[in-house]
Amino acid sequence: MNLSVGIVGLPNVGKSTLFNALLKKQVALVANYPFATIEPNVGVVEVPDERLPVLAKIVQTEKIVPAAIEFYDIAGLVKGASQGEGLGNQFLAKIREVKVIIHAVRLFNDPNIVHVHEDIDPKGDIDTIESELMLADLATLDKQPKGSPAVFESIKARLNQGQPVRDQTLTEDELESIKPLGLLTLKPVIFVFNVSENQLNQPPDPPNQPSLYLCAKLEAEMVDFSPAEQQEILNQYNLKETGLNRLIKVAYDTLGLMSFLTAGKLEARAWTIAKNTPAQQAAGVIHTDFIKNFIKADVVSCADFVRIGGWVKAREAGLVKTVGRDYCLSDGQVVEFKIGT
């Protein structure tokens, strides 16, 4: 499963700085003027997983393949984006490609960095972006032919009342009917509040939805530091992890994702799946042919696998469970699939 994340927000809120920090290198152009990013920058980030090196050592492999996330740095949206303002249509099309939206919101105050609305107003900024996404969804629904499902009109009515699609109570059948439309406000949103270093110690109360506070400038400055040096800096702000690690955990939780692990002579690897995925479907993440040729799977907790010292000893100790196609994998299980031909 490819996890793709789009970073959106008003111009000059720190999106590209955040993107650079996440990728741990200078990729995106950082500039003090709107629309410095025209094409979205795309980068693949490894999901940190301390279990993989341990597993690799046990099974004696040098190849480690962590799960990955694609981050899209999408240019700043402005009021009128849904009508094409600021190259809005081009940018909105890019958002349709991602599974979750990171909405970067500026809380830091820096007179040297212009703000399109002149004043720091996080609620107003959030409302501007959300309004443009809802207007874009209304435009999409308006283009649907006559005879479209009645739910389309119901969704339009609630959008006109200021209710994004993700907050509308829809049945599974209704969600399936609108899936081809790629509605923007159906996508889950994670708010990332970009604060100053001083604000890290006293962040405001979080909103009642997925969010986190970080200082993109500080995260970018720590890129070239060693892990020990990074931790020393984080300790000054009572933080246990970098913004990247915290953001990945929030994204996984928001989308209901988890990882299972495989460990053998070829590689130690993490695979991303949705929670409560049956073993047969999980096998398809490795190769689609594994679904139809699935026979069974051997599973063991990572903790037991590490404690006992690998597959052979885990089987001898009765720690390995053989499961069928409908067994739902748990986060962190080490799995070996048995596949027919």
Side-chain angles (χ1 to χ4, degrees), residues 233-259:
I233 294 172
L234 292 171
N235 289 341
Q236 298 175 21
Y237 300 98
N238 298 315
L239 296 172
K240 296 180 179 179
E241 297 180 291
T242 64
L244 170 62
N245 290 14
R246 291 185 287 132
L247 183 54
I248 287 173
K249 288 181 178 179
V250 174
Y252 266 59
D253 287 343
T254 301
L255 292 172
L257 301 177
M258 63 174 219
S259 295

Side-chain angles (χ1 to χ4, degrees), residues 33-339:
Y33 54 88
F35 311 118
T37 305
I38 302 301
E39 290 295 327
N41 295 292
V42 183
V44 178
V45 175
E46 295 180 354
V47 176
D49 195 327
E50 297 176 351
R51 300 169 297 193
L52 290 177
V54 180
L55 292 180
K57 186 174 182 180
I58 291 172
V59 298
Q60 299 181 348
T61 182
E62 294 184 358
K63 186 176 180 181
I64 295 175
V65 185
I69 296 180
E70 286 184 341
F71 282 96
Y72 289 71
D73 175 23
I74 297 168
L77 299 175
V78 293
K79 187 174 183 179
S82 57
Q83 281 79 47
E85 287 295 324
L87 302 179
N89 290 331
Q90 179 181 342
F91 302 156
L92 290 169
K94 297 298 181 182
I95 304 174
R96 298 187 195 279
E97 301 173 9
V98 303
K99 288 186 170 64
V100 62
I101 295 171
I102 291 176
H103 185 168
V105 182
R106 177 175 171 175
L107 290 188
F108 70 90
N109 190 6
D110 187 338
N112 297 315
I113 300 179
V114 298
H115 190 291
V116 292
H117 292 163
E118 296 184 2
D119 297 320
I120 304 300
D121 178 15
K123 184 181 184 305
D125 294 353
I126 290 172
D127 289 345
T128 295
I129 298 297
E130 192 78 327
S131 294
E132 291 305 317
L133 298 183
M134 285 192 284
L135 287 169
D137 282 349
L138 282 168
T140 297
L141 289 163
D142 284 339
K143 294 175 184 176
Q144 302 312 305
K146 292 183 179 180
S148 296
V151 67
F152 287 15
E153 291 301 320
S154 174
I155 290 172
K156 283 173 58 177
R158 283 175 282 182
L159 280 169
N160 277 314
Q161 293 170 0
Q163 186 178 32
V165 182
R166 76 181 77 87
D167 293 340
Q168 299 181 19
T169 304
L170 301 173
T171 66
E172 289 296 325
D173 288 342
E174 289 172 337
L175 287 170
E176 193 63 29
S177 70
I178 64 173
K179 189 175 180 180
L181 303 182
L183 297 178
L184 301 175
T185 65
L186 181 59
K187 297 179 186 294
V189 173
I190 300 169
F191 288 101
V192 173
F193 293 96
N194 190 7
V195 300
S196 67
E197 294 180 33
N198 292 333
Q199 291 171 306
L200 274 174
N201 286 320
Q202 294 180 322
D205 293 333
N208 189 25
Q209 55 192 100
S211 63
L212 63 91
Y213 294 87
L214 56 75
C215 176
K217 178 175 177 288
L218 179 65
E219 296 283 341
E221 290 173 351
M222 290 195 299
V223 163
D224 296 324
F225 294 171
S226 70
E229 290 171 327
Q230 289 183 7
Q231 193 57 57
E232 187 176 338
I233 294 172
L234 292 171
N235 289 341
Q236 298 175 21
Y237 300 98
N238 298 315
L239 296 172
K240 296 180 179 179
E241 297 180 291
T242 64
L244 170 62
N245 290 14
R246 291 185 287 132
L247 183 54
I248 287 173
K249 288 181 178 179
V250 174
Y252 266 59
D253 287 343
T254 301
L255 292 172
L257 301 177
M258 63 174 219
S259 295
F260 73 86
L261 311 168
T262 54
K265 291 289 185 181
L266 292 179
E267 64 183 21
R269 184 163 184 162
W271 305 85
T272 301
I273 58 173
K275 293 177 181 177
N276 300 316
T277 297
Q280 183 181 26
Q281 297 303 314
V285 177
I286 297 177
H287 197 289
T288 53
D289 287 347
F290 284 11
I291 297 177
K292 64 180 180 181
N293 296 324
F294 178 91
I295 298 175
K296 59 185 179 181
D298 285 350
V299 301
V300 59
S301 73
C302 183
D304 283 343
F305 189 92
V306 171
R307 176 176 57 81
I308 204 74
W311 282 114
V312 174
K313 292 181 181 179
R315 289 189 172 97
E316 290 174 349
L319 297 173
V320 177
K321 182 191 299 184
T322 299
V323 301
R325 63 182 61 194
D326 296 327
Y327 174 85
C328 292
L329 300 183
S330 299
D331 184 57
Q333 281 183 318
V334 185
V335 184
E336 187 175 87
F337 294 105
K338 307 297 182 181
I339 305 298

